[in-house]
Amino acid sequence: MRVTTPPGSLSAPSAPSVPFTGPSPAGPQRRAIGWRLRFGILSLIWGFSFLLIKVGTEGYAPFQVTLGRLVFGTAVVAAVLVTKRERLPRGARTWAHLAVAALLLNALPFSLFAYAELTIPSTLAGICNATSPLWGMALSLVALSEDRPTRRRVAGLGIGFLGVLTVLGAWQGFNGLDFGGTAMALLASLCYPIGWIYVRRTLAGCGHSNLSLTGAQLLIATVELAVVTPLFTSLPTHFPVVPLLAIVALGAVGTGVAFLIQYGLVAEVGPTTAQMVTYFVPVIATAAGVAVLGESLSWSTPVGAVIVLAGAALTQSRPRDRSRKPVGS
């Protein structure tokens, strides 16, 4: 995501997950819709993305869901690029790095979540998503020497994984849990911090605009899925309308529009405030799965989710800068 943020920083995996290489100019007058309202809208979009994945996989293969998602998401960002008259990046080296970023931040995790939701509820997938900052914290201690651990952040890591064990019902021997689907959802969440660390090391200060890099990365991810999908799936013989509409919404709104909203939030209120949206996503994903899809919910799921989010929040905590004024002041 944003290269200049701390390595533990995150965005919701159901989002486009694209490199953000630095602050973008955003005039203080640009507030047609208040940032708090946009923050809430973004939380809802990403929270409902897991429901849309589940509905999409009811009519189409997981790779087809992911390909459709990327096609429609790329189309939205491409339209904005054309409107703003921005060009895609140049240079083989930049495109090579973007190809790796597209795999780690888009093609692979999107596909893993789609496959995972064949066998696990969307509520569990949304909660697995919340483990990304925990993985990021663990990886940053190894891969980023400048990211010094603190007692609070290490404690957050331990608390977070205790929450994961609670969600999975470890004391019951993971009884009734689909191990394969859960493992894929957790692996998807692991892809994001790996991708962020890679982007931070390779694309920081590359001189291209964030919007340009985003368009290029989503385009490459679409090409990657377009190559892989025919190898593992066949053309649908019929096109169920509801799953198709879910895929369109997942791509155009959950990927394309969501990124543009996040892009504006980061520019206006900074990455620290903008990334807090991640903590609302599993709550909304759980509520949507239960209310709309009728998924069952045991006590350990919401309790474990709260523990995961508490641990994730601790891993992101840093000393408060008293010299900075609160956002909106």
Side-chain angles (χ1 to χ4, degrees):
M1 251 315 210
R2 178 183 170 96
V3 176
T4 56
T5 59
S9 299
L10 63 149
S11 70
S14 55
S17 299
V18 289
F20 204 102
T21 57
S24 297
Q29 305 301 322
R30 186 187 169 191
R31 294 190 181 184
I33 301 178
W35 73 265
R36 291 177 180 83
L37 179 57
R38 284 180 280 131
F39 184 99
I41 293 172
L42 187 59
S43 300
L44 287 171
I45 290 174
W46 282 346
F48 271 86
S49 290
F50 294 96
L51 180 151
L52 294 174
I53 292 172
K54 172 67 79 173
V55 174
T57 55
E58 290 177 354
Y60 300 91
F63 274 135
Q64 293 169 346
V65 172
T66 304
L67 176 59
R69 172 183 192 171
L70 287 168
V71 167
F72 290 108
T74 303
V76 170
V77 176
V80 176
L81 279 169
V82 172
T83 301
K84 291 181 175 291
R85 298 183 179 180
E86 289 204 31
R87 296 182 178 180
L88 294 175
R90 297 181 180 179
R93 185 181 182 86
T94 298
W95 280 88
H97 289 315
L98 283 171
V100 178
L103 176 65
L104 293 173
L105 294 173
N106 302 111
L108 183 56
F110 287 3
S111 299
L112 285 170
F113 271 118
Y115 269 101
E117 291 199 41
L118 289 177
T119 56
I120 67 172
S122 64
T123 54
L124 180 55
I127 293 171
C128 287
N129 163 53
T131 65
S132 279
L134 304 178
W135 296 119
M137 168 65 185
L139 290 172
S140 67
L141 298 179
V142 177
L144 298 168
S145 58
E146 70 272 20
D147 194 42
R148 302 284 182 177
T150 63
R151 291 181 179 179
R152 178 181 295 183
R153 298 181 71 197
V154 172
L157 186 63
I159 291 172
F161 282 109
L162 177 62
V164 173
L165 293 177
T166 302
V167 170
L168 302 182
W171 67 92
Q172 298 174 336
F174 307 107
N175 188 29
L177 181 73
D178 184 85
F179 179 79
T182 305
M184 283 189 284
L186 291 172
L187 181 58
S189 71
L190 174 60
C191 288
Y192 293 106
I194 294 175
W196 298 327
I197 291 173
Y198 179 84
V199 166
R200 178 172 175 172
R201 287 179 175 272
T202 59
L203 289 171
C206 65
H208 300 288
S209 75
N210 302 307
L211 187 59
S212 174
L213 289 173
T214 297
Q217 181 178 312
L218 290 178
L219 177 61
I220 295 174
T222 303
V223 172
E224 290 172 344
L225 259 294
V227 171
V228 171
T229 300
L231 301 178
F232 295 93
T233 65
S234 56
L235 287 175
T237 56
H238 63 288
F239 297 86
V241 176
V242 173
L244 181 59
L245 291 176
I247 294 171
V248 173
L250 179 64
V253 181
T255 302
V257 173
F259 162 72
L260 296 174
I261 294 175
Q262 188 200 36
Y263 181 87
L265 282 174
V266 171
E268 183 174 337
V269 302
T272 301
T273 300
Q275 76 185 21
M276 293 300 291
V277 70
T278 304
Y279 301 120
F280 293 88
V281 170
V283 177
I284 295 171
T286 299
V290 172
V292 180
L293 299 180
E295 295 177 344
S296 60
L297 189 68
S298 64
W299 69 267
S300 61
T301 301
V303 170
V306 170
I307 298 173
V308 167
L309 293 176
L314 284 175
T315 65
Q316 303 302 297
S317 64
R318 280 173 172 72
R320 182 177 299 176
D321 186 357
R322 296 183 179 180
S323 64
R324 294 187 61 183
K325 295 182 179 180
V327 173
S329 62

